[in-house]
Amino acid sequence: MSVPRYPGLSEEEQDQESYGVVETMDPELYRAAVEGDILEFARAMENCTMDRHDNLLASCVQLGPQQNTVLHIAASFGHHEIVKLICKDIPYLVVEKDSRGDTALHVAARSGDIVLVRILLDTDFKGSLGEVNEEGNTALHEALRYNHEDIARILIENNLNMIYSDNKEGESLLYLAAEAGYPSVIRLLMDNPVGNYIGQDKLKNKSPVHAAIKRRNIGVLELLWKRHGSSFQKRCAEGRNPLHYAAYIGYAEGVSFILNKFYAFAYSRDKDGFFPIHLAASQGHTGIVQLMLKKRPDSRELLTLQQQNILHIAAKSGKCSAFYCMLKMPELEKLINARDENGNTPLHVATISGQPKTVSALVWDERVSLDLENNEGQTALDISEEHMKQDMASFHKRLTWLALRVAGAPRAEIADISRSANSVLGGQPTTENCRDKVNVTLLVASFVATVTFAAGLTMPGGYRNSDPNQGMANMLTEVKFQEFVIFDSLALYSSVIVAVMLIWAQLGDRNSMHVTLKSALPLLGISLVMMLLAFMAGVYLVVSKLSWLAKVVLFLGSTFVTVIFLLFLPLCFLGSLKNRICRHFSYYAFCFMLYALGSYTENEAEAY
């Protein structure tokens, strides 16, 4: 004979519930439970009892929209007196669940209300300790997940032999306690004679050791080693052991502890073929790399499945500051020109990854061999020029190419003649791509010509309106006026010449457009600089009576003319500079571009 879920309900009402047709909660009862007015609650219960044929239980098993009872509601709002009344008169509700599978004890444990937890545990229904919700969490899981240590201790002490399983995310109680950083809770769990605190599914559940490392809690880590050392052998889904985790997040104390206890972890690969030292290098944790090299010097020889060493990995990551530090480590000097399975050195790898600052650090290091070729017979410059042939090559890859060019990086001896003709705009562009560049340059030249022409006819200070010398400029004898005229004229003439050259270029083939464009860019740069100088001279002339303002105009003008010059210089000359002195001069322009355009911004390490 089956026992009805609600003994106080009539058969008709239980049939309605079985079909999902249940009454909503009485408004007065719901309001009283929310507001915590015990008198109103008792009165509402009494009214419900009269409507429910004098059955006290029936008055309180009404469910809200979330299938929650009045006990759930009172517990969620922390109304202790109402909870006491319900637990005294209707203790069955302690084990009732809402739509998420939560009992009132789940609600209390999640909120961190110790008094409420004790009230619920004082009933005869302590079986609610083992009830799980839709996420597979018991009340103890919830207390640990929400960092309520005292409540977790109370729940454990109420049933030291409780059998707990993992939740649906594979989190065991020990994992949650380690993640929260509660050594006292861990000890209580480990003292459980049932011994199932680790978790039932050894392949699915998460490692408490990894949780302790994630929280950087050395005390918990030491306790786990002392009480349950075998848990250190557990790997995650990516095949990573505890040392992988500690190295990845840069947890030096954890790395040192694990290496002292079980150094073999340093020589274990994850599923991607990375050793712990590779993960440290990929995240730019130079302190971890140094620590591991100090404790296990031969770890510098460890290679990934692609035969890449830690410098290969660091060069690929883009953590430039860390890479600089690693280049200075004497232990890694032998790795600077080492090759991977494809014959790529760290310089090749940084070039492929489009890391201009890393490439710049390498090409100016005298220990780096710039002429080394990979298995395909390509130097780093060859690889970069292959990238530049793409119509939509990223700006980082363009800067990478510039870094190699300003350092005088060579091509392979078998380089094609076509590659030697590459311009700073990148490789041999297609006809359509080259035509687009011609059109853009022509538009800029036309703009400069228009502006300077208008400025030439609107002289600063105006013109004389009376004889003698009618129509002559008023400030003709001023030095700054003469500078204005010269700069404006140079800007106009050079921009017109550029426009004519590009008009001719559009009538020719791709090669003629390419050559003309290469010649026109320096001239366009001159016209832009002259236009700025003309503006500076003209404005200075009309404000010269106010000394401080005139000085500000000169300072701002000089500063921004220099900036424009440095930005435009690589577009005009860096691709063809061969003289070492000129390359050093161009190097500073290149560095300025990196800083100005944000290429020095390093990627942040991802949270593990």
Side-chain angles (χ1 to χ4, degrees):
M1 180 176 178
S2 60
V3 178
R5 181 182 179 191
Y6 301 120
L9 292 179
S10 67
E11 291 185 6
E12 180 182 355
E13 290 170 324
Q14 293 184 42
D15 287 341
Q16 287 181 336
E17 182 172 334
S18 66
Y19 285 103
V21 183
V22 294
E23 300 178 50
T24 59
M25 188 175 294
D26 180 80
E28 296 301 324
L29 185 65
Y30 183 86
R31 186 179 296 108
V34 170
E35 295 177 356
D37 189 330
I38 192 166
L39 296 178
E40 287 296 327
F41 182 79
R43 187 177 299 111
M45 283 179 58
E46 184 178 354
N47 293 336
C48 290
T49 301
M50 295 175 61
D51 295 339
R52 291 276 187 158
H53 315 296
D54 298 325
N55 190 303
L56 179 61
L57 175 61
S59 68
C60 289
V61 295
Q62 302 179 54
L63 303 178
Q66 298 298 322
Q67 300 297 299
N68 47 346
T69 66
V70 287
L71 182 58
H72 286 97
I73 297 170
S76 65
F77 285 93
H79 300 317
H80 301 160
E81 295 303 320
I82 293 180
V83 171
K84 284 181 182 179
L85 178 62
I86 297 172
C87 289
K88 177 183 177 182
D89 295 337
I90 321 168
Y92 304 100
L93 294 187
V94 174
V95 294
E96 289 303 316
K97 297 182 178 182
D98 61 15
S99 60
R100 297 185 301 175
D102 287 337
T103 65
L105 191 58
H106 282 93
V107 175
R110 193 181 298 127
S111 67
D113 192 327
I114 296 179
V115 175
L116 195 57
V117 169
R118 292 188 184 278
I119 293 172
L120 293 170
L121 290 176
D122 284 341
T123 66
D124 295 330
F125 289 86
K126 290 188 178 180
S128 61
L129 278 169
E131 293 290 337
V132 297
N133 59 19
E134 294 297 321
E135 296 178 353
N137 291 323
T138 64
L140 181 53
H141 284 88
E142 295 290 353
L144 291 172
R145 292 185 76 179
Y146 285 85
N147 301 313
H148 302 309
E149 182 179 9
D150 292 339
I151 291 179
R153 290 175 57 87
I154 292 171
L155 292 173
I156 294 173
E157 291 168 353
N158 267 268
N159 193 340
L160 294 174
N161 299 332
M162 176 67 69
I163 298 176
Y164 293 98
S165 59
D166 303 340
N167 62 19
K168 291 185 178 180
E169 294 183 12
E171 296 170 335
S172 66
L173 292 175
L174 196 60
Y175 173 86
L176 292 172
E179 186 177 44
Y182 299 149
S184 61
V185 175
I186 292 174
R187 291 189 184 93
L188 283 174
L189 291 171
M190 288 185 170
D191 289 336
N192 186 339
V194 179
N196 67 333
Y197 50 81
I198 304 167
Q200 302 299 315
D201 188 347
K202 302 296 181 60
L203 298 177
K204 179 183 175 183
N205 70 337
K206 299 179 181 179
S207 167
V209 177
H210 292 171
I213 292 171
K214 180 180 179 180
R215 295 297 181 183
R216 300 172 182 264
N217 194 315
I218 193 65
V220 172
L221 204 59
E222 291 173 345
L223 178 60
L224 289 171
W225 176 264
K226 180 180 179 181
R227 300 289 297 271
H228 190 59
S230 60
S231 62
F232 279 70
Q233 299 296 332
K234 182 175 177 58
R235 293 174 178 252
C236 66
E238 291 81 17
R240 294 176 178 174
N241 61 44
L243 188 57
H244 280 103
Y245 271 74
Y248 186 90
I249 67 172
Y251 181 29
E253 192 175 11
V255 169
S256 180
F257 175 81
I258 296 169
L259 282 176
N260 290 336
K261 299 298 182 181
F262 201 77
Y263 69 86
F265 280 149
Y267 305 96
S268 176
R269 283 192 174 104
D270 63 12
K271 288 186 177 179
D272 295 325
F274 280 29
F275 292 96
I277 196 170
H278 293 131
L279 291 180
S282 71
Q283 298 304 306
H285 301 313
T286 53
I288 301 299
V289 172
Q290 289 177 316
L291 176 61
M292 296 188 71
L293 290 174
K294 180 179 179 181
K295 290 184 173 291
R296 311 303 305 177
D298 59 345
S299 60
R300 72 186 182 92
E301 299 180 14
L302 297 175
L303 303 176
T304 67
L305 295 177
Q306 291 75 38
Q307 303 300 300
Q308 292 184 336
N309 60 45
I310 54 179
L311 284 185
H312 284 103
I313 302 301
K316 186 191 307 181
S317 70
K319 304 294 190 300
C320 304
S321 298
F323 188 78
Y324 279 150
C325 293
M326 293 176 67
L327 278 180
K328 296 177 183 178
M329 296 181 190
E331 307 96 317
L332 304 181
E333 185 172 355
K334 297 295 183 182
L335 307 181
I336 291 177
N337 293 308
R339 304 170 187 264
D340 62 14
E341 65 178 7
N342 296 316
N344 292 320
T345 66
L347 178 59
H348 286 91
V349 171
T351 301
I352 294 170
S353 302
Q355 303 293 345
K357 190 177 180 184
T358 303
V359 169
S360 181
L362 285 165
V363 295
W364 292 97
D365 192 316
E366 295 181 353
R367 299 168 297 173
V368 177
S369 299
L370 304 182
D371 57 349
L372 291 180
E373 301 174 13
N374 61 15
N375 294 350
E376 296 181 2
Q378 293 179 311
T379 64
L381 182 60
D382 295 327
I383 293 173
S384 183
E385 290 182 341
E386 287 292 328
H387 292 163
M388 295 293 288
K389 289 180 181 179
Q390 303 172 10
D391 289 347
M392 297 300 293
S394 69
F395 191 72
H396 273 208
K397 290 189 175 180
R398 293 177 183 272
L399 287 179
T400 300
W401 180 83
L402 282 175
L404 292 163
R405 290 296 291 153
V406 298
R411 299 185 179 91
E413 293 182 1
I414 59 173
D416 296 333
I417 297 177
S418 61
R419 284 193 299 184
S420 65
N422 280 335
S423 75
V424 294
L425 294 178
Q428 286 289 347
T430 63
T431 302
E432 182 180 357
N433 188 30
C434 195
R435 193 177 300 278
D436 289 340
K437 293 174 182 177
V438 168
N439 289 334
V440 171
T441 309
L442 180 59
L443 179 63
V444 175
S446 302
F447 168 76
V448 174
T450 302
V451 171
T452 52
F453 178 80
L457 297 180
T458 312
M459 294 292 179
Y463 302 92
R464 296 179 182 176
N465 296 321
S466 59
D467 292 329
N469 302 322
Q470 185 175 3
M472 298 294 291
N474 288 325
M475 298 184 176
L476 186 62
T477 58
E478 298 288 338
V479 175
K480 285 298 178 184
F481 179 83
Q482 297 165 7
E483 292 177 0
F484 166 80
V485 173
I486 294 172
F487 292 146
D488 189 70
S489 300
L490 287 174
L492 174 63
Y493 297 146
S494 58
S495 61
V496 171
I497 292 173
V498 170
V500 174
M501 290 173 62
L502 295 177
I503 291 173
W504 273 102
Q506 289 187 320
L507 303 178
D509 57 10
R510 183 185 66 183
N511 289 333
S512 64
M513 283 191 288
H514 188 66
V515 173
T516 304
L517 189 60
K518 184 176 180 180
S519 303
L521 278 174
L523 199 56
L524 179 60
I526 291 173
S527 67
L528 287 171
V529 171
M530 292 299 106
M531 181 178 68
L532 293 177
L533 290 174
F535 175 82
M536 180 177 66
V539 174
Y540 178 87
L541 185 64
V542 298
V543 301
S544 57
K545 294 296 183 180
L546 192 57
S547 178
W548 72 267
L549 185 57
K551 292 178 181 178
V552 169
V553 169
L554 285 179
F555 173 77
L556 292 177
S558 302
T559 301
F560 283 95
V561 166
T562 303
V563 170
I564 294 297
F565 174 76
L566 290 176
L567 288 175
F568 211 87
L569 181 64
L571 292 174
C572 302
F573 307 113
L574 293 186
S576 57
L577 288 175
K578 295 181 180 180
N579 185 277
R580 188 170 180 83
I581 296 177
C582 293
R583 287 205 306 270
H584 273 79
F585 173 75
S586 303
Y587 168 75
Y588 294 107
F590 165 73
C591 290
F592 175 78
M593 290 182 65
L594 286 178
Y595 278 113
L597 298 173
S599 293
Y600 269 76
T601 303
E602 300 185 14
N603 299 323
E604 297 292 336
E606 296 180 0
Y608 197 73

